[in-house]
């Protein structure tokens, strides 16, 4: 139900068009990795971040971690990448895929692999336009050298006020207990506190 709620509340990529006049003013040096369970469109937590923060980073990557029913995912197939919005937005979608026996990696190794795959993606996308690819890769490296920040949405799921008592118990207590004690995709990255930024958001279902 929480996932379905996120799907219903997702923001179309066309939402970015309304930000066009603000993107240049509100971008700050650095790479922001915004974690979301959605593998398509823009999660509702993104406009929530913009409401609570004065700026977004010069490079923004929407990261989704998925677990496949396979032993291991080959390293060259770990990341699925695509661009979001126009090129000058410097926004990308990354789906990080793991098998059930894959070793979880720390944040530095994850960042290194992601950056290398992003560079390869940019080069492939700009075949025949080497100068444009070189400029974008240089911009990516400069942004990473500034800082890499992990943006996590801390969502609290609550039952609607008009829900029945049984539903409230299941959602407000049982689900909350299971969520707090289950593994989340980003936990194994061992993110330093100075690189972690969380914004809270309530879901009423």
């Amino acid at each position: 139900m929480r996932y379905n709620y996120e799907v219903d509340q997702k923001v179309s990529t066309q939402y970015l068009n309304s930000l066009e006049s603000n993107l240049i003013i509100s971008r700050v040096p650095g790479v922001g990795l915004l974690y979301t369970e959605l593998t398509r469109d823009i999660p509702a937590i993104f406009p929530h971040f913009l409401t609570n923060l004065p700026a977004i980073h010069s490079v923004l990557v929407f990261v989704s971690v998925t677990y496949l029913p396979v032993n291991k995912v080959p390293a060259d197939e770990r990341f699925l990448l695509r661009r979001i919005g126009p090129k000058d937005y410097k926004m990308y979608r990354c789906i990080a895929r793991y098998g059930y026996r894959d070793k979880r990696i720390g944040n530095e190794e994850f960042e290194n692999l992601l950056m290398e795959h992003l560079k390869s993606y940019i080069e492939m996308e700009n075949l025949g336009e080497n100068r444009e690819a070189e400029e974008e890769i240089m911009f990516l490296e400069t942004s990473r050298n500034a800082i890499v920040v992990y943006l996590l949405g801390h969502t609290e799921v609550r039952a609607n006020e008009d829900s029945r008592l049984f539903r409230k118990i299941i959602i407000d207590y049982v689900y909350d207990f299971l969520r707090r004690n289950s593994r989340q995709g980003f936990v194994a990255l061992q993110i330093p506190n100075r690189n972690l930024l969380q914004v809270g958001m309530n879901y009423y279902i």
Side-chain angles (χ1 to χ4, degrees):
M1 290 176 64
R2 180 182 65 81
Y3 179 79
N4 289 336
Y5 180 88
E6 289 189 350
V7 171
D8 291 339
Q9 299 298 315
K10 68 185 179 183
V11 180
S12 169
T13 51
Q14 294 180 353
Y15 163 79
L16 297 177
N17 295 332
S18 64
L19 301 175
E20 186 173 2
S21 59
N22 298 321
L23 282 175
I24 297 177
I25 311 173
S26 60
R27 306 301 286 266
V28 295
V31 177
L33 304 180
L34 195 157
Y35 276 75
T36 172
E37 292 187 19
L38 300 184
T39 56
R40 297 180 58 186
D41 295 307
I42 307 298
I45 196 68
F46 178 59
H48 195 63
F49 266 105
L50 294 183
T51 301
N52 290 274
L53 300 174
I56 55 176
H57 297 88
S58 52
V59 174
L60 187 65
V61 184
F62 293 87
V63 180
S64 301
V65 178
T66 61
Y67 298 94
L68 304 180
V70 297
N71 191 351
K72 291 187 176 182
V73 175
D76 59 344
E77 299 177 12
R78 175 79 64 214
F79 298 114
L80 296 180
L81 297 165
R82 68 179 178 87
R83 189 182 296 275
I84 297 179
K87 284 188 176 182
D88 58 341
Y89 281 17
K90 302 295 188 298
M91 294 184 180
Y92 311 89
R93 164 82 63 194
C94 170
I95 302 176
R97 306 186 300 175
Y98 292 90
Y100 53 83
R101 291 191 64 186
D102 272 323
K103 180 182 178 182
R104 305 300 180 262
I105 57 179
N107 69 298
E108 289 189 14
E109 187 177 352
F110 182 86
E111 291 169 17
N112 290 334
L113 289 174
L114 176 56
M115 292 301 115
E116 290 305 313
H117 279 76
L118 262 178
K119 291 176 185 177
S120 297
Y121 171 81
I122 293 169
E123 290 173 348
M124 290 293 294
E125 187 187 42
N126 291 278
L127 286 176
E129 301 178 10
N130 293 334
R131 183 174 181 82
E132 187 174 347
E134 289 174 0
E135 290 177 351
E136 186 167 1
I137 289 173
M138 186 178 298
F139 184 85
L140 178 64
E141 291 176 343
T142 301
S143 299
R144 188 197 175 182
N145 290 335
I147 192 172
V148 177
V149 177
Y150 292 76
L151 308 170
L152 307 178
H154 180 71
T155 56
E156 293 287 344
V157 180
R158 292 290 179 263
N160 288 320
E161 291 185 2
D162 58 351
S163 298
R164 295 182 178 180
L165 178 61
F166 179 74
R167 181 188 175 93
K168 288 184 177 180
I169 292 174
I170 292 296
I171 295 176
D172 293 351
Y173 298 99
V174 178
Y175 170 79
D176 186 63
F177 173 81
L178 294 175
R179 183 185 63 83
R180 293 178 186 278
N181 290 277
S182 64
R183 180 182 65 188
Q184 299 184 48
F186 59 83
V187 170
L189 293 177
Q190 304 167 358
I191 306 168
N193 287 334
R194 63 183 179 86
N195 296 91
L196 178 63
L197 181 62
Q198 294 192 66
V199 170
M201 186 173 182
N202 293 327
Y203 288 172
Y204 292 93
I205 60 177

